[in-house]
Amino acid sequence: MTSMTRRLVSSFAAAASAVLIVSPVLAAEGDGPEIVRQQWAFSGFRGQFDQAQLQRGFQVYKEVCAACHGLNRVNFRNLVQPGGPGFPEEAVKALAAEWPNQITDGPNDEGKMFERPARLSDPIRGPYRNEKEARAAQNGAYPPDLSLIAKARGVARNPSWWTHPFLMLGDIVKSYQEGGSDYLFALLTGYTDPPADVKVGDGMYYNKAFPGHQLAMPTPLQPDQVAYSDGTKPTVENYAKDVAAFLAWSADPTHDQRKRIGWQVMLYLLVTTALLYLGKKRIWADVKH
Amino acid sequence: MTSHVDDANRRDFLVVAGNAFAAVGAASLIWPFVQQMNPDASAKALASTEVDLAPVKEGQAITIMWRGKPVFIRNRTKDEIAAAEKVPLADLPDAEARNGALPAATPATDSNRVKSGHENWLVAVGICTHLGCIPKGQGMGDARGDFGGWFCPCHGSHYDTSGRIRRGPAPRNLDVPPYEFVSDTKIKIG
Amino acid sequence: MSGHTSSYEPTSRWGKWFDERLPIARLVHGSFVAFPTPRNLNYLWTFGGILMFCLVAQIITGIVLAMHYQPSDTAAFNSIEHIRRDVNYGWMIRNMHAVGASMFFIAVYIHIFRGLYYGSYKAPREVLWILGVIILLVMMATAFLGYTLPWGQMSFWGVTVITNLFSALDTIYQGLGTGIVEWLWGGYSVSGVTLNRFFSLHYLLPFVLTGIVILHVWALHVVGQNNPTGLELKEPSEAVPMHPYATSKDIVGLFAFLLLFAWFVFFMPDYLGHADNYNEANPLVTPPHIVPEWYFLPFYAILRAFTGSFLGIPLGSYAKLLGVIAMFAAIAILAFAPWLDTSRVRSAKYRPLFKWAFWAFAFTCVALGYLGAKPAEGVYVLWAQIFTVLYFAYFLVAMPVLGLIETPKKLPRSINEAVLGPDAAAAAAKH
């Protein structure tokens, strides 16, 4: 080795070791509150929605969330279909007809738009027609539509750089996709008194899971607020969990079918890959390579 | 070139099985790609439509949309009903009722194309059975053809007051969609 | 499309008749059946076929999605949701396309690193390599355009940020950059007009890509495949016919790759994307962290490494321009690899020092990817600058210098010797 090569090699080695030594510093900072992961019926690659939980979750949505939030990308008919809450069609028809936020239709023969009761094919509308109306009614705050909220929110994790790849690999192997529901559960159960040094703004509430910790939504869930009929305990945790599961379904109504087909595909691919590999060995049997 | 492998080896069971599995997988992948072109869940959900008949006076007609197709609804006069009822089946180029609610071989009498008790209402899909044009005859001033029903301007098909083809290139009577009377003045199509 | 004469003999009378008029069967036979492939190719060589599959799969799923997608600022987001929820198997096809983009890049990066390790860019494969670099560029453009189409928050702000790169040209000539940006946008901001033209171009580029891929395969068949030893084929016994040998290996590689592909499609379709993109685009609110898709992260890190100063050197008003130049140079420099590398030995297998440089470079790319996902502040910027220097050092220092000073290991005389050992190779040569 010439002296120049040695210098090059040692500079690469130096760079590599510098990374190893200094980088823990990178891990120190974080940019979002840590969210605790929950066990869900639909967790991981084997999980499927729990129909009873989705039904309870819809009840919570209807009796609590729907006062401010819409669910516009979910239609009443979706509440009937398999893989979802699976309510009986007649019950959902009645529910749609009584839904307080009616559908604007028309124009009628006089050329005017009119309100009519919802049908199965109509979306589950919230109380506000648009963002401006919502903000006017909510002191400037905007209660977002909840159809996609479980997919539009995630969990911030800030592992150190050397654990990052392993955690990523772990998430891929376990197929962790429930960050949105974990966040929603943490948010709904995250209302606490603010720490002494935090001054909460006017019309704002302190929440330990919300990025920035101050949000305009007051504590939505109280114990015994929704009367469950299946014996589930009427606690805030249960409400939060059920509604978070329901919203996970709202954001991903084909979830159950997806994982079911997924297993068939994986099984098929495993068998075929194995067969093709054996076939390849057979073909190459007398060629040294 | 090392080509020691003879044909027998190449057709080895494992190789054949592997290739067959791969081929079956590729073939079954075609299914979702064909299915995606079929009517989707939101289109299927709109498959039924309710219509209020109260504003339609005798002799008038309305056109409504059902599954993206025009449906003719005519409140027929007594003369029109009488004219439709007395046509002998032998005069009809298409002797089948074409009523979605009845079996295929039902004769095309006027009573088989309307609901009993509501004989004044004729409900038919307003698409010429020849090549899919919309026949004239809904508007007050429209040409209604030689049989008082509808007339298709594209290739000259004449339909009578029961929506049956009487003359021209169209092969079939206008289709009667499945519908029911929800109340005396309201029908649900589909 | 073949550098050797085909041994194709049509068997039927009709086959003969057709062959005399359009010898397409002969072409296919010569290029993909009888084509001699080195007997010692490992599984890294299956990625060419895997990439072919990716391209075809993206085109097919893309055409299907275009049947349901609506390229307008008011309808785009809703139409994606319509595809996910209502279209028969729409969720599956959409996941295949979105995950497929990532899989395409995984495969292409492995393909590129394989080329770098085994010296596949060296003479006589320079044109083949440069066509590959062009393919990478077109792929990146296609992926970028495609990512705007869902019209979520990350789509919108990604387009805004990346198209604004061109405004750096204002430093050279006032108004030049702004003019180009407004020309790209078709307005004074990113809008539905921009979305519409991006959709059109996103549909066009894959076909351009297909054309370049055909040239790439053509060039490959002229010069032949490289192999792990980096030695040229010397005699027929060192090669096997592509079918059934290479094809049987390629299909195993493809199916193993499909296992990974399917895992993401069916079990974690959103893992490779961003939660923010499930919020519809809002021109009034920028998400807290704008991060490109993972496959752009190393280049994004290089772009952002150029802040007010670079490793202590003040850059002043040129920082932005230099960042843009460095980012494009990071891709363009690949095209010069055939001339930057001075070693006559191709494969890193026989280059003890270069092997180290290669792995350091691989680590550098991963590190840049990690830094690209982190906020551009504090110590992250410093590390991005260090790794940017290392990135370019691989091409500008390691490649030319190591070739001059390194003593390669003893090369086998032939592929046969490497595979069979010296005695058997001599025996094989006698035949």
Side-chain angles (χ1 to χ4, degrees), chain B residues 13-42:
Chain B
F13 169 73
L14 281 170
V15 179
V16 173
N19 290 345
F21 262 69
V24 167
S28 49
L29 198 60
I30 293 172
W31 176 250
F33 283 84
V34 172
Q35 276 302 96
Q36 55 88 17
M37 285 179 66
N38 269 326
D40 62 48
S42 59

PDB file of all heavy atoms in Angstrom, chain B residues 13-42:
ATOM      1  N   PHE B  13     -40.870 -32.375 -13.968  1.00  0.00           N
ATOM      2  CA  PHE B  13     -42.115 -32.042 -13.270  1.00  0.00           C
ATOM      3  C   PHE B  13     -42.031 -30.701 -12.548  1.00  0.00           C
ATOM      4  O   PHE B  13     -42.936 -29.877 -12.636  1.00  0.00           O
ATOM      5  CB  PHE B  13     -42.447 -33.154 -12.271  1.00  0.00           C
ATOM      6  CG  PHE B  13     -43.554 -32.778 -11.345  1.00  0.00           C
ATOM      7  CD1 PHE B  13     -44.873 -32.721 -11.804  1.00  0.00           C
ATOM      8  CD2 PHE B  13     -43.288 -32.440 -10.027  1.00  0.00           C
ATOM      9  CE1 PHE B  13     -45.898 -32.354 -10.959  1.00  0.00           C
ATOM     10  CE2 PHE B  13     -44.317 -32.059  -9.172  1.00  0.00           C
ATOM     11  CZ  PHE B  13     -45.616 -32.020  -9.639  1.00  0.00           C
ATOM     12  N   LEU B  14     -40.927 -30.475 -11.829  1.00  0.00           N
ATOM     13  CA  LEU B  14     -40.795 -29.241 -11.053  1.00  0.00           C
ATOM     14  C   LEU B  14     -40.868 -28.015 -11.939  1.00  0.00           C
ATOM     15  O   LEU B  14     -41.495 -27.013 -11.602  1.00  0.00           O
ATOM     16  CB  LEU B  14     -39.460 -29.248 -10.308  1.00  0.00           C
ATOM     17  CG  LEU B  14     -39.445 -30.085  -9.034  1.00  0.00           C
ATOM     18  CD1 LEU B  14     -38.028 -30.206  -8.525  1.00  0.00           C
ATOM     19  CD2 LEU B  14     -40.346 -29.437  -7.999  1.00  0.00           C
ATOM     20  N   VAL B  15     -40.191 -28.115 -13.080  1.00  0.00           N
ATOM     21  CA  VAL B  15     -40.166 -26.972 -13.981  1.00  0.00           C
ATOM     22  C   VAL B  15     -41.562 -26.695 -14.518  1.00  0.00           C
ATOM     23  O   VAL B  15     -42.044 -25.560 -14.524  1.00  0.00           O
ATOM     24  CB  VAL B  15     -39.177 -27.237 -15.141  1.00  0.00           C
ATOM     25  CG1 VAL B  15     -39.158 -26.067 -16.088  1.00  0.00           C
ATOM     26  CG2 VAL B  15     -37.800 -27.524 -14.584  1.00  0.00           C
ATOM     27  N   VAL B  16     -42.231 -27.779 -14.918  1.00  0.00           N
ATOM     28  CA  VAL B  16     -43.581 -27.621 -15.446  1.00  0.00           C
ATOM     29  C   VAL B  16     -44.504 -27.045 -14.376  1.00  0.00           C
ATOM     30  O   VAL B  16     -45.274 -26.112 -14.621  1.00  0.00           O
ATOM     31  CB  VAL B  16     -44.120 -28.977 -15.961  1.00  0.00           C
ATOM     32  CG1 VAL B  16     -45.577 -28.843 -16.362  1.00  0.00           C
ATOM     33  CG2 VAL B  16     -43.286 -29.449 -17.136  1.00  0.00           C
ATOM     34  N   ALA B  17     -44.397 -27.597 -13.156  1.00  0.00           N
ATOM     35  CA  ALA B  17     -45.259 -27.123 -12.068  1.00  0.00           C
ATOM     36  C   ALA B  17     -45.008 -25.649 -11.776  1.00  0.00           C
ATOM     37  O   ALA B  17     -45.946 -24.851 -11.641  1.00  0.00           O
ATOM     38  CB  ALA B  17     -45.015 -27.956 -10.818  1.00  0.00           C
ATOM     39  N   GLY B  18     -43.744 -25.272 -11.701  1.00  0.00           N
ATOM     40  CA  GLY B  18     -43.402 -23.871 -11.433  1.00  0.00           C
ATOM     41  C   GLY B  18     -43.964 -22.955 -12.501  1.00  0.00           C
ATOM     42  O   GLY B  18     -44.613 -21.951 -12.204  1.00  0.00           O
ATOM     43  N   ASN B  19     -43.752 -23.345 -13.765  1.00  0.00           N
ATOM     44  CA  ASN B  19     -44.254 -22.511 -14.858  1.00  0.00           C
ATOM     45  C   ASN B  19     -45.768 -22.438 -14.847  1.00  0.00           C
ATOM     46  O   ASN B  19     -46.353 -21.384 -15.089  1.00  0.00           O
ATOM     47  CB  ASN B  19     -43.772 -23.047 -16.199  1.00  0.00           C
ATOM     48  CG  ASN B  19     -42.270 -22.846 -16.371  1.00  0.00           C
ATOM     49  OD1 ASN B  19     -41.667 -22.077 -15.623  1.00  0.00           O
ATOM     50  ND2 ASN B  19     -41.678 -23.539 -17.312  1.00  0.00           N
ATOM     51  N   ALA B  20     -46.413 -23.581 -14.532  1.00  0.00           N
ATOM     52  CA  ALA B  20     -47.872 -23.609 -14.509  1.00  0.00           C
ATOM     53  C   ALA B  20     -48.387 -22.683 -13.407  1.00  0.00           C
ATOM     54  O   ALA B  20     -49.327 -21.908 -13.617  1.00  0.00           O
ATOM     55  CB  ALA B  20     -48.361 -25.029 -14.279  1.00  0.00           C
ATOM     56  N   PHE B  21     -47.761 -22.741 -12.247  1.00  0.00           N
ATOM     57  CA  PHE B  21     -48.178 -21.867 -11.144  1.00  0.00           C
ATOM     58  C   PHE B  21     -48.035 -20.398 -11.539  1.00  0.00           C
ATOM     59  O   PHE B  21     -48.925 -19.591 -11.295  1.00  0.00           O
ATOM     60  CB  PHE B  21     -47.332 -22.159  -9.897  1.00  0.00           C
ATOM     61  CG  PHE B  21     -48.013 -23.062  -8.924  1.00  0.00           C
ATOM     62  CD1 PHE B  21     -48.228 -24.399  -9.241  1.00  0.00           C
ATOM     63  CD2 PHE B  21     -48.448 -22.593  -7.694  1.00  0.00           C
ATOM     64  CE1 PHE B  21     -48.860 -25.243  -8.348  1.00  0.00           C
ATOM     65  CE2 PHE B  21     -49.085 -23.433  -6.792  1.00  0.00           C
ATOM     66  CZ  PHE B  21     -49.287 -24.763  -7.117  1.00  0.00           C
ATOM     67  N   ALA B  22     -46.893 -20.083 -12.135  1.00  0.00           N
ATOM     68  CA  ALA B  22     -46.662 -18.689 -12.537  1.00  0.00           C
ATOM     69  C   ALA B  22     -47.716 -18.250 -13.550  1.00  0.00           C
ATOM     70  O   ALA B  22     -48.253 -17.146 -13.472  1.00  0.00           O
ATOM     71  CB  ALA B  22     -45.255 -18.540 -13.112  1.00  0.00           C
ATOM     72  N   ALA B  23     -48.047 -19.161 -14.482  1.00  0.00           N
ATOM     73  CA  ALA B  23     -49.022 -18.819 -15.518  1.00  0.00           C
ATOM     74  C   ALA B  23     -50.406 -18.620 -14.915  1.00  0.00           C
ATOM     75  O   ALA B  23     -51.132 -17.681 -15.277  1.00  0.00           O
ATOM     76  CB  ALA B  23     -49.064 -19.922 -16.576  1.00  0.00           C
ATOM     77  N   VAL B  24     -50.767 -19.474 -13.954  1.00  0.00           N
ATOM     78  CA  VAL B  24     -52.069 -19.341 -13.310  1.00  0.00           C
ATOM     79  C   VAL B  24     -52.147 -18.002 -12.558  1.00  0.00           C
ATOM     80  O   VAL B  24     -53.158 -17.296 -12.611  1.00  0.00           O
ATOM     81  CB  VAL B  24     -52.330 -20.526 -12.347  1.00  0.00           C
ATOM     82  CG1 VAL B  24     -53.527 -20.241 -11.453  1.00  0.00           C
ATOM     83  CG2 VAL B  24     -52.557 -21.803 -13.144  1.00  0.00           C
ATOM     84  N   GLY B  25     -51.064 -17.647 -11.894  1.00  0.00           N
ATOM     85  CA  GLY B  25     -51.039 -16.368 -11.170  1.00  0.00           C
ATOM     86  C   GLY B  25     -51.236 -15.198 -12.115  1.00  0.00           C
ATOM     87  O   GLY B  25     -52.045 -14.300 -11.867  1.00  0.00           O
ATOM     88  N   ALA B  26     -50.509 -15.227 -13.223  1.00  0.00           N
ATOM     89  CA  ALA B  26     -50.622 -14.139 -14.191  1.00  0.00           C
ATOM     90  C   ALA B  26     -52.047 -14.064 -14.728  1.00  0.00           C
ATOM     91  O   ALA B  26     -52.627 -12.985 -14.871  1.00  0.00           O
ATOM     92  CB  ALA B  26     -49.627 -14.346 -15.328  1.00  0.00           C
ATOM     93  N   ALA B  27     -52.637 -15.249 -14.971  1.00  0.00           N
ATOM     94  CA  ALA B  27     -53.989 -15.276 -15.532  1.00  0.00           C
ATOM     95  C   ALA B  27     -55.007 -14.741 -14.527  1.00  0.00           C
ATOM     96  O   ALA B  27     -55.927 -14.001 -14.892  1.00  0.00           O
ATOM     97  CB  ALA B  27     -54.347 -16.698 -15.952  1.00  0.00           C
ATOM     98  N   SER B  28     -54.841 -15.103 -13.246  1.00  0.00           N
ATOM     99  CA  SER B  28     -55.849 -14.649 -12.278  1.00  0.00           C
ATOM    100  C   SER B  28     -55.721 -13.156 -12.001  1.00  0.00           C
ATOM    101  O   SER B  28     -56.650 -12.526 -11.503  1.00  0.00           O
ATOM    102  CB  SER B  28     -55.766 -15.465 -10.989  1.00  0.00           C
ATOM    103  OG  SER B  28     -54.449 -15.532 -10.544  1.00  0.00           O
ATOM    104  N   LEU B  29     -54.558 -12.589 -12.320  1.00  0.00           N
ATOM    105  CA  LEU B  29     -54.386 -11.142 -12.152  1.00  0.00           C
ATOM    106  C   LEU B  29     -55.263 -10.376 -13.149  1.00  0.00           C
ATOM    107  O   LEU B  29     -55.545  -9.195 -12.952  1.00  0.00           O
ATOM    108  CB  LEU B  29     -52.913 -10.784 -12.349  1.00  0.00           C
ATOM    109  CG  LEU B  29     -52.467  -9.427 -11.818  1.00  0.00           C
ATOM    110  CD1 LEU B  29     -52.701  -9.356 -10.318  1.00  0.00           C
ATOM    111  CD2 LEU B  29     -51.015  -9.176 -12.128  1.00  0.00           C
ATOM    112  N   ILE B  30     -55.686 -11.072 -14.201  1.00  0.00           N
ATOM    113  CA  ILE B  30     -56.517 -10.395 -15.194  1.00  0.00           C
ATOM    114  C   ILE B  30     -57.870 -10.009 -14.587  1.00  0.00           C
ATOM    115  O   ILE B  30     -58.428  -8.970 -14.909  1.00  0.00           O
ATOM    116  CB  ILE B  30     -56.717 -11.313 -16.431  1.00  0.00           C
ATOM    117  CG1 ILE B  30     -55.369 -11.495 -17.133  1.00  0.00           C
ATOM    118  CG2 ILE B  30     -57.727 -10.725 -17.393  1.00  0.00           C
ATOM    119  CD1 ILE B  30     -55.407 -12.529 -18.240  1.00  0.00           C
ATOM    120  N   TRP B  31     -58.356 -10.835 -13.665  1.00  0.00           N
ATOM    121  CA  TRP B  31     -59.695 -10.646 -13.100  1.00  0.00           C
ATOM    122  C   TRP B  31     -59.930  -9.228 -12.564  1.00  0.00           C
ATOM    123  O   TRP B  31     -60.848  -8.539 -13.017  1.00  0.00           O
ATOM    124  CB  TRP B  31     -59.949 -11.716 -12.034  1.00  0.00           C
ATOM    125  CG  TRP B  31     -61.243 -11.574 -11.324  1.00  0.00           C
ATOM    126  CD1 TRP B  31     -61.426 -11.195 -10.023  1.00  0.00           C
ATOM    127  CD2 TRP B  31     -62.563 -11.778 -11.853  1.00  0.00           C
ATOM    128  NE1 TRP B  31     -62.754 -11.176  -9.711  1.00  0.00           N
ATOM    129  CE2 TRP B  31     -63.482 -11.516 -10.807  1.00  0.00           C
ATOM    130  CE3 TRP B  31     -63.068 -12.143 -13.101  1.00  0.00           C
ATOM    131  CZ2 TRP B  31     -64.860 -11.619 -10.983  1.00  0.00           C
ATOM    132  CZ3 TRP B  31     -64.429 -12.245 -13.269  1.00  0.00           C
ATOM    133  CH2 TRP B  31     -65.306 -11.985 -12.223  1.00  0.00           C
ATOM    134  N   PRO B  32     -59.127  -8.746 -11.588  1.00  0.00           N
ATOM    135  CA  PRO B  32     -59.388  -7.383 -11.103  1.00  0.00           C
ATOM    136  C   PRO B  32     -59.280  -6.322 -12.193  1.00  0.00           C
ATOM    137  O   PRO B  32     -59.980  -5.310 -12.153  1.00  0.00           O
ATOM    138  CB  PRO B  32     -58.317  -7.169 -10.022  1.00  0.00           C
ATOM    139  CG  PRO B  32     -57.347  -8.261 -10.183  1.00  0.00           C
ATOM    140  CD  PRO B  32     -58.047  -9.394 -10.834  1.00  0.00           C
ATOM    141  N   PHE B  33     -58.416  -6.581 -13.182  1.00  0.00           N
ATOM    142  CA  PHE B  33     -58.236  -5.565 -14.217  1.00  0.00           C
ATOM    143  C   PHE B  33     -59.415  -5.529 -15.188  1.00  0.00           C
ATOM    144  O   PHE B  33     -59.643  -4.534 -15.859  1.00  0.00           O
ATOM    145  CB  PHE B  33     -56.916  -5.801 -14.964  1.00  0.00           C
ATOM    146  CG  PHE B  33     -55.734  -5.337 -14.160  1.00  0.00           C
ATOM    147  CD1 PHE B  33     -55.173  -6.154 -13.194  1.00  0.00           C
ATOM    148  CD2 PHE B  33     -55.217  -4.066 -14.323  1.00  0.00           C
ATOM    149  CE1 PHE B  33     -54.114  -5.721 -12.419  1.00  0.00           C
ATOM    150  CE2 PHE B  33     -54.161  -3.623 -13.560  1.00  0.00           C
ATOM    151  CZ  PHE B  33     -53.605  -4.454 -12.604  1.00  0.00           C
ATOM    152  N   VAL B  34     -60.135  -6.633 -15.272  1.00  0.00           N
ATOM    153  CA  VAL B  34     -61.367  -6.632 -16.063  1.00  0.00           C
ATOM    154  C   VAL B  34     -62.498  -6.043 -15.226  1.00  0.00           C
ATOM    155  O   VAL B  34     -63.257  -5.185 -15.678  1.00  0.00           O
ATOM    156  CB  VAL B  34     -61.711  -8.072 -16.524  1.00  0.00           C
ATOM    157  CG1 VAL B  34     -63.087  -8.107 -17.168  1.00  0.00           C
ATOM    158  CG2 VAL B  34     -60.664  -8.570 -17.501  1.00  0.00           C
ATOM    159  N   GLN B  35     -62.573  -6.493 -13.963  1.00  0.00           N
ATOM    160  CA  GLN B  35     -63.651  -6.060 -13.075  1.00  0.00           C
ATOM    161  C   GLN B  35     -63.686  -4.544 -12.868  1.00  0.00           C
ATOM    162  O   GLN B  35     -64.741  -3.952 -12.705  1.00  0.00           O
ATOM    163  CB  GLN B  35     -63.503  -6.734 -11.703  1.00  0.00           C
ATOM    164  CG  GLN B  35     -64.090  -8.108 -11.629  1.00  0.00           C
ATOM    165  CD  GLN B  35     -65.560  -8.127 -11.974  1.00  0.00           C
ATOM    166  OE1 GLN B  35     -65.938  -8.390 -13.098  1.00  0.00           O
ATOM    167  NE2 GLN B  35     -66.395  -7.816 -11.010  1.00  0.00           N
ATOM    168  N   GLN B  36     -62.510  -3.916 -12.870  1.00  0.00           N
ATOM    169  CA  GLN B  36     -62.472  -2.491 -12.564  1.00  0.00           C
ATOM    170  C   GLN B  36     -63.260  -1.651 -13.575  1.00  0.00           C
ATOM    171  O   GLN B  36     -63.608  -0.517 -13.304  1.00  0.00           O
ATOM    172  CB  GLN B  36     -61.027  -1.981 -12.446  1.00  0.00           C
ATOM    173  CG  GLN B  36     -60.122  -2.241 -13.639  1.00  0.00           C
ATOM    174  CD  GLN B  36     -60.169  -1.166 -14.700  1.00  0.00           C
ATOM    175  OE1 GLN B  36     -60.636  -0.065 -14.448  1.00  0.00           O
ATOM    176  NE2 GLN B  36     -59.679  -1.476 -15.890  1.00  0.00           N
ATOM    177  N   MET B  37     -63.523  -2.251 -14.758  1.00  0.00           N
ATOM    178  CA  MET B  37     -64.258  -1.478 -15.754  1.00  0.00           C
ATOM    179  C   MET B  37     -65.768  -1.615 -15.589  1.00  0.00           C
ATOM    180  O   MET B  37     -66.523  -0.867 -16.195  1.00  0.00           O
ATOM    181  CB  MET B  37     -63.830  -1.885 -17.167  1.00  0.00           C
ATOM    182  CG  MET B  37     -62.468  -1.303 -17.479  1.00  0.00           C
ATOM    183  SD  MET B  37     -61.784  -1.690 -19.074  1.00  0.00           S
ATOM    184  CE  MET B  37     -62.878  -0.889 -20.189  1.00  0.00           C
ATOM    185  N   ASN B  38     -66.223  -2.554 -14.772  1.00  0.00           N
ATOM    186  CA  ASN B  38     -67.655  -2.705 -14.535  1.00  0.00           C
ATOM    187  C   ASN B  38     -68.186  -1.555 -13.687  1.00  0.00           C
ATOM    188  O   ASN B  38     -67.424  -0.863 -13.025  1.00  0.00           O
ATOM    189  CB  ASN B  38     -67.923  -4.040 -13.835  1.00  0.00           C
ATOM    190  CG  ASN B  38     -68.180  -5.139 -14.833  1.00  0.00           C
ATOM    191  OD1 ASN B  38     -68.766  -4.897 -15.883  1.00  0.00           O
ATOM    192  ND2 ASN B  38     -67.719  -6.335 -14.523  1.00  0.00           N
ATOM    193  N   PRO B  39     -69.527  -1.333 -13.684  1.00  0.00           N
ATOM    194  CA  PRO B  39     -70.092  -0.244 -12.877  1.00  0.00           C
ATOM    195  C   PRO B  39     -69.607  -0.359 -11.431  1.00  0.00           C
ATOM    196  O   PRO B  39     -69.584  -1.454 -10.878  1.00  0.00           O
ATOM    197  CB  PRO B  39     -71.599  -0.482 -12.961  1.00  0.00           C
ATOM    198  CG  PRO B  39     -71.792  -1.222 -14.229  1.00  0.00           C
ATOM    199  CD  PRO B  39     -70.564  -2.047 -14.431  1.00  0.00           C
ATOM    200  N   ASP B  40     -69.186   0.764 -10.858  1.00  0.00           N
ATOM    201  CA  ASP B  40     -68.620   0.707  -9.515  1.00  0.00           C
ATOM    202  C   ASP B  40     -69.714   0.829  -8.461  1.00  0.00           C
ATOM    203  O   ASP B  40     -70.898   0.986  -8.769  1.00  0.00           O
ATOM    204  CB  ASP B  40     -67.540   1.777  -9.349  1.00  0.00           C
ATOM    205  CG  ASP B  40     -68.098   3.168  -9.521  1.00  0.00           C
ATOM    206  OD1 ASP B  40     -69.137   3.467  -8.914  1.00  0.00           O
ATOM    207  OD2 ASP B  40     -67.494   3.961 -10.256  1.00  0.00           O
ATOM    208  N   ALA B  41     -69.285   0.753  -7.193  1.00  0.00           N
ATOM    209  CA  ALA B  41     -70.246   0.706  -6.087  1.00  0.00           C
ATOM    210  C   ALA B  41     -71.132   1.951  -6.039  1.00  0.00           C
ATOM    211  O   ALA B  41     -72.321   1.863  -5.712  1.00  0.00           O
ATOM    212  CB  ALA B  41     -69.487   0.557  -4.772  1.00  0.00           C
ATOM    213  N   SER B  42     -70.589   3.117  -6.403  1.00  0.00           N
ATOM    214  CA  SER B  42     -71.405   4.324  -6.324  1.00  0.00           C
ATOM    215  C   SER B  42     -72.444   4.342  -7.454  1.00  0.00           C
ATOM    216  O   SER B  42     -73.554   4.840  -7.280  1.00  0.00           O
ATOM    217  CB  SER B  42     -70.524   5.574  -6.388  1.00  0.00           C
ATOM    218  OG  SER B  42     -69.783   5.598  -7.575  1.00  0.00           O
TER     219      SER B  42
END
